[in-house]
Each structure stands twice: as structure tokens, then as C-alpha cells.
Amino acid sequence: MNEFDLVLPSAVDVREVGMRDGLQLEAPVPLAQKLEMLDALVATGVGRIEVTSFVSPRAVPALADADALAAQLGRWPGVHWSALVANARGAVRAVDAGVADLEYVVSASDSHSVANAGRPTAGALGAVGEVAGLAHGAGGSLEVVVATAWDCPFEGRTPITRTVDVARAAVTAGADALCLGDTIGTTTPLRVLQLLDAVRRACPGVPLGVHFHDTRGSGLANVLTALQSGITQVDSSVGGLGGCPFAPGATGNIATEELVYLLEESGVRTGLDLDALMTAARVTERAVGHELPSSLFRAGGRPVPRGAVTPTPASAPS
Amino acid sequence: MNEFDLVLPSAVDVREVGMRDGLQLEAPVPLAQKLEMLDALVATGVGRIEVTSFVSPRAVPALADADALAAQLGRWPGVHWSALVANARGAVRAVDAGVADLEYVVSASDSHSVANAGRPTAGALGAVGEVAGLAHGAGGSLEVVVATAWDCPFEGRTPITRTVDVARAAVTAGADALCLGDTIGTTTPLRVLQLLDAVRRACPGVPLGVHFHDTRGSGLANVLTALQSGITQVDSSVGGLGGCPFAPGATGNIATEELVYLLEESGVRTGLDLDALMTAARVTERAVGHELPSSLFRAGGRPVPRGAVTPTPASAPS
């Protein structure tokens, strides 16, 4: 007999990022429809929602309504809201809008950092302290998302030591938590584990989450490996929304409903309801006006009754 | 520090099932194009190909050319060919056509067995002995594929004891090997492990493979769990072909290129070349005349150079 046992955490803390990572490259969705999306998402039971980015409306027109959206969040008490910021200016906006739990991206590769944030990695790291200070001053926290943590679209593989250096520097500068981003959806289970182990060694005790894209089919296998290694914070997007719908192959985040299905069926509590997620995906699909990539959403959810009829004997007739 | 180590087999034996499970529900592809597909598939380096089914041409018109196709297989020495049969009549045809390594499906649920094979599970099991005898008489072997091993589209969950009973009965009747089929793509890692463990206990020493569909995003996570538990025989289909393209949600087998990408990147040898697989997927897409479901195929293969440029220091400017 083999000795393998599938050891998973008893519960996983899902962060829904569809409102931010999902919508950011879409044509702008009217505020009223975003509120419908949030109604549907909150009804799933999800505890954490990354709700928008406070960034330049020119750079991300789809999220230009961040302040107006944030002003509505009091409708849904009990949800832990967070927002992405790209610099201290964005952090001031977020805090003023009442969102004090912030995510801030630092790309581990210079080329992506320049393309994404207009400055190399060291420059992006240089703002962590100020952004953290703004979050902390408002009673909030700062999570640094290390983008291109495994691979960069321009530079290829990111050395593990590089990602670890960036993570350590972010924590030293004031980050309360870390998240590793598989920005272009290229990583695979062994590399997931290797990087997670290295970052945990470098930043012991710092909360660490994962952000995978399912561009090459490995998304949930990567999650599974991360969970087996002890990770309990996972980003996902309703319907698998994310990436650019106009760029073939730029598929989205792992789909929240696929994540929840896999986890709940494997005995891991998420607090999310699959039927409510299917409803939220339908609302999201209407809002963005195109098909969502999630296979589970297209397949139609849990397909079979959970019970089964009593079969006839399996023995072959003699 | 956590104690988890990702232990995977050093090599996995991939069986390409696109020619059979992939094509069976497509409009018939002309023999010349099937030979082009096989040229491309053999060039990937894959060692095992399930090449067709010897079944009623009325039931599966797409595979009505099984005999003609089998007559061409001598072109590619060194590949281990197999074919699916539905009864002893099909086994005779296969053996006469020179294919002596056979797969035979027994559905663990009666309802699916009746729908698929025209008789309940016990009736399907009743033919195992004769089919095995025909294979063995021709110097071949018989693998019984237990369909609806986890779930049935009509009956819901298949009790583990039921699938185990079917597997044991198949071996008793003469099957040399077993494969567990997630026919409707519903299973998840914990259930994968539980069933594999139960079947291994019931049928110690019998070669055991897995056949997953990626209908709900869990396909490669299921593979990963199976591999961690010691499985080394995995079915997959080029481009993720399979299921019915006209039924929304009836998505295909796990995609061979996604499987190979994940495994090779995780240090598991498959013997397959990813670039050749992308070519084979293109040939397959032309042959079937519609888009293939594989995310990796759409994303365009390995996207980044395997090396990386030397980054500038990650420390923040002081």
C-alpha cells in the first residue's frame, strides 16, 4: 500500500478579486451593475473582496469609479474589503474613501515593473513604506503582491532568490502580508512549492497568500500544492474573469466556483455557497457582456444528486 | 517550517486517447486526416495511443473506419497501440485487424451501463472473460475501464464499494489492468485518493490508470493527487478534445499538452515534446474543424524563455 495522505487545511480564506483583477481590463461596467455584482458576490458568503483599484482613471478606465463604489460599501457589513493601489497617491484616495486595507503590487522583474508601474522593482519597493504608513495610519493593513513571482513575460523565469529578496524587502519596509502572483499563468506545482518554501523561510510568520491564473490548466493543481504546504489564503475571480478578453490565451484568474467546488468536495471549508456563486457568475457575465472562461460555470455547477440509487449486484452472471 | 514535500513519480506513462475518446463524438474525420493526426501524435514521442474503437459504425460513425485505420499502424513502429471494444464481436474485429491490446468499458452504475452498453453492469461484466480470452489468445492484454467510477449522470454518486466490486470482478474475470474513468468530470482530489486507495487494496498488484475529464477545472489537480499516491498511467487527449462539442459544458478530456507541461515543469518525465504537441493540436483542430478546449493550446505553449536576464538590485532606494 502506498503511504500518501492528502492533508489539506480545514478551511481556506478565499479572496474574491473579480471586481478588481476581473474588471480592470473590461469595458467600464456602470456603477449600478457593479453594485448588482457585489450584491450577488456578498450573497455567496465570501469573506474578503478586493473591490477596486485606486489608480489613474486614464490607466484603468474600468475602475475610474473607485471612490463612488467605495462610498457604497456600507451596504454590506461584515465583508472584509480591500483595494489595490499603485502608489501613495492612490493610498490616500483609498483611505479617504474609507478603504484602509490595501494591496500594493511590486513586480519581481524590472521589465514588468517598468511596464506595469513605470519604474523598476527597486523604485516600486521604495514606496512600500509610505503606502504602509498611510494604511496603518487609517487603522488598516498593507499586503504587498509580488507580481511576476515565478515568470515575467519579458525576462522569462524569475530567480527564486529575486522574488525572495523582493518579499523580504517589502516586509522590512512595512508590509503586513504578502501574496505571490503568477501573473502570466505559467507556474506549476513543484515551482509553487519551491517558492512558497523559500518565501516562508525568508519571512517567517508573515501571512502569505497565492494568486494564480489558469492560463495553462495548472491553476487548481497549483492551489492544491499550496494548500498541502499550509497556505490558506487564495485569490480567485468569479467566473474566472480576468486577463484581457481581446487577447487570445490571456485567460483569467482561477475561477472562484471551480476553487470552491474542488475545496468543498475535498472537505475544505470556504464559507461560499456554490449555487450562489453560479448566480454571481451569471450576473457578472451580464455585466461584462461576454462569455466567462470558467469551465464549471459553463458545465452548469454540481451536475448530479449527492445521493445515488441502490445498484443491482455487480457480479457477472455465471 | 512546514513539512510538506511534493513527491511525484519520476516518470508518467501518458496514453493519448484523442483518436478515440476525442474523435468519437465528432463529425467523421476522413482517414487521410486521421493519418496526419497520427503522424503528428507519434512525433510527440508519446508511447501509448488508444487509436480507435471497434464498435458499431451506426453507434459511432466517427470511428467506422477502425479496420482501415488499424491496417495503417505498421507505419509507426514502436508505438504501443490499443483499441476500445464494447463486446466480444468488437474484440474479434480488433484482433483480426492486428490490435490485440484492448480496452473494454464497464460502467459502475447500472443506468449508465444501460445507456452506454445496452445492459446493466453485471451484463457488461459478463463479457469480460470472453473479451480477455480473445485478447490473450492473440498475445494481447485487456484493460477494463470502469466508467462512472465516481459519479453517474443518472444516479449521482457511485458508492466506492460499488466501483471496487466492479473492479474486483473485472480482474477476477480476466482483466490484466484497470482504469478508473471520471466520465462526467465531477471528481475532486480527496475522492480520487479515496477510490484509488480502495481499488488498490481490492486489486493489489493490478496496473491501475486514471482517465479524467476537465469539465470543472479539477482535471490536473486530480492527476496530481493520483500521482502523489503512486499512479503512473494517465489518459489525456490532444487539445483536450472529447465530450460533445454541441453540448455546452460537456468539455473534454484533460489536455495532453497541459498534462505534459505540468509534469515536465515539475520534474516528471513523460517522453513527450511540448512543441510537437502544439503542432499535433493544430493538426487536430484542422481535422475536427472547431476550436479545441485546451487553455494551454490557446495560450500558445511555453510563453517565456527559460532563462532570465540579470535583474537590478531589489533593495529600495534609501
Side-chain angles (χ1 to χ4, degrees):
Chain A
M1 286 311 303
N2 77 85
E3 304 292 332
F4 173 67
D5 193 17
L6 183 67
V7 178
L8 299 173
S10 58
V12 159
D13 190 13
V14 175
R15 177 166 61 191
E16 169 60 46
V17 300
M19 298 295 299
R20 197 279 304 171
D21 202 1
L23 292 181
Q24 67 184 2
L25 289 170
E26 299 287 336
V29 171
L31 182 61
Q33 274 190 290
K34 288 190 180 180
L35 298 177
E36 280 176 30
M37 283 177 64
L38 281 175
D39 262 334
L41 287 172
V42 172
T44 67
V46 68
R48 291 194 299 154
I49 297 178
E50 185 185 54
V51 71
T52 189
S53 294
F54 289 89
V55 293
S56 156
R58 280 185 310 283
V60 188
L63 304 182
D65 59 0
D67 303 270
L69 185 60
Q72 302 293 325
L73 300 182
R75 297 181 184 203
W76 302 282
V79 176
H80 179 162
W81 304 101
S82 65
L84 193 81
V85 301
N87 47 42
R89 194 165 62 248
V92 170
R93 270 180 68 201
V95 163
D96 285 350
V99 182
D101 288 319
L102 306 181
E103 284 97 38
Y104 174 77
V105 171
V106 179
S107 295
S109 58
D110 282 319
S111 309
H112 186 264
S113 189
V114 168
N116 188 58
R119 50 192 176 183
T121 303
L125 276 170
V128 169
E130 191 177 0
V131 173
L134 288 160
H136 296 155
S141 63
L142 176 66
E143 175 180 297
V144 166
V145 180
V146 183
T148 63
W150 285 274
D151 289 306
C152 167
F154 311 113
E155 298 181 21
R157 298 213 174 195
T158 307
I160 286 181
T161 51
R162 172 69 174 191
T163 302
V164 166
D165 285 348
V166 171
R168 193 193 286 111
V171 171
T172 301
D176 305 291
L178 295 166
C179 182
L180 300 179
D182 180 24
T183 306
I184 53 173
T186 50
T187 195
T188 41
L190 183 61
R191 299 181 68 206
V192 168
L193 181 62
Q194 289 169 340
L195 185 60
L196 287 172
D197 281 348
V199 170
R200 279 186 284 233
R201 265 194 303 275
C203 308
V206 177
L208 179 61
V210 289
H211 179 105
F212 296 123
H213 287 248
D214 197 20
T215 313
R216 286 164 182 81
S218 305
L220 290 186
N222 291 337
V223 169
L224 191 70
T225 299
L227 266 53
Q228 288 179 276
S229 82
I231 293 291
T232 59
Q233 298 178 46
V234 181
D235 284 0
S236 62
S237 169
V238 60
L241 193 65
C244 178
F246 307 110
T251 53
N253 293 270
I254 59 168
T256 307
E257 59 277 12
E258 293 186 353
L259 175 68
V260 166
Y261 178 78
L262 185 152
L263 294 181
E264 295 281 345
E265 292 278 308
S266 293
V268 179
R269 278 179 291 107
T270 63
L272 278 80
D273 179 76
L274 189 61
D275 292 334
L277 268 169
M278 298 299 278
T279 300
R282 275 190 293 274
V283 171
T284 302
E285 190 166 64
R286 270 203 305 275
V288 300
H290 64 78
E291 209 175 69
L292 301 179
S294 161
S295 295
L296 177 64
F297 177 55
R298 279 178 282 134
R302 186 175 279 116
V304 291
R306 293 180 70 101
V309 304
T310 305
T312 61
S315 51
S318 54
Chain B
M1 286 312 302
N2 77 83
E3 304 292 332
F4 174 67
D5 192 17
L6 183 67
V7 178
L8 298 173
S10 58
V12 158
D13 189 14
V14 174
R15 177 167 61 191
E16 169 61 45
V17 299
M19 298 294 299
R20 197 279 304 171
D21 202 1
L23 291 182
Q24 67 183 1
L25 289 170
E26 299 287 337
V29 171
L31 182 62
Q33 275 191 288
K34 289 190 180 179
L35 297 177
E36 282 176 29
M37 283 178 63
L38 280 176
D39 262 334
L41 287 172
V42 172
T44 67
V46 68
R48 291 193 299 153
I49 296 178
E50 185 186 54
V51 72
T52 190
S53 294
F54 289 89
V55 292
S56 157
R58 280 185 311 282
V60 189
L63 304 182
D65 60 1
D67 304 270
L69 185 60
Q72 302 294 325
L73 300 182
R75 297 183 183 202
W76 303 281
V79 177
H80 178 162
W81 305 101
S82 66
L84 193 81
V85 301
N87 47 43
R89 195 165 58 249
V92 170
R93 270 180 68 202
V95 164
D96 286 349
V99 182
D101 289 317
L102 306 181
E103 284 97 39
Y104 174 76
V105 172
V106 178
S107 296
S109 58
D110 281 319
S111 309
H112 186 264
S113 189
V114 169
N116 189 58
R119 50 192 176 183
T121 303
L125 276 171
V128 169
E130 190 176 1
V131 173
L134 287 161
H136 295 156
S141 63
L142 176 65
E143 174 181 297
V144 166
V145 180
V146 183
T148 63
W150 285 274
D151 290 306
C152 167
F154 311 112
E155 299 181 19
R157 299 215 174 194
T158 307
I160 287 182
T161 51
R162 171 71 174 190
T163 302
V164 167
D165 285 349
V166 171
R168 192 191 286 111
V171 171
T172 301
D176 305 291
L178 295 166
C179 182
L180 300 179
D182 180 25
T183 306
I184 53 172
T186 50
T187 195
T188 42
L190 183 60
R191 299 182 67 206
V192 168
L193 181 62
Q194 289 169 340
L195 185 60
L196 287 173
D197 281 347
V199 171
R200 279 185 283 234
R201 263 194 303 276
C203 308
V206 177
L208 179 61
V210 287
H211 179 104
F212 296 123
H213 288 248
D214 197 21
T215 313
R216 287 164 182 82
S218 305
L220 291 186
N222 291 337
V223 169
L224 191 71
T225 300
L227 266 53
Q228 289 180 276
S229 82
I231 293 291
T232 59
Q233 298 178 48
V234 181
D235 284 0
S236 62
S237 169
V238 60
L241 193 64
C244 178
F246 308 109
T251 53
N253 293 269
I254 59 168
T256 307
E257 58 277 12
E258 294 186 351
L259 175 68
V260 166
Y261 177 79
L262 185 152
L263 293 182
E264 294 281 343
E265 292 277 307
S266 294
V268 179
R269 278 178 291 108
T270 63
L272 277 79
D273 179 76
L274 189 60
D275 292 335
L277 268 170
M278 298 300 277
T279 300
R282 276 189 293 275
V283 171
T284 301
E285 191 166 64
R286 270 203 306 276
V288 299
H290 63 78
E291 210 176 67
L292 301 179
S294 161
S295 295
L296 177 65
F297 178 54
R298 279 178 280 134
R302 186 176 278 116
V304 292
R306 292 181 70 100
V309 304
T310 306
T312 61
S315 50
S318 55

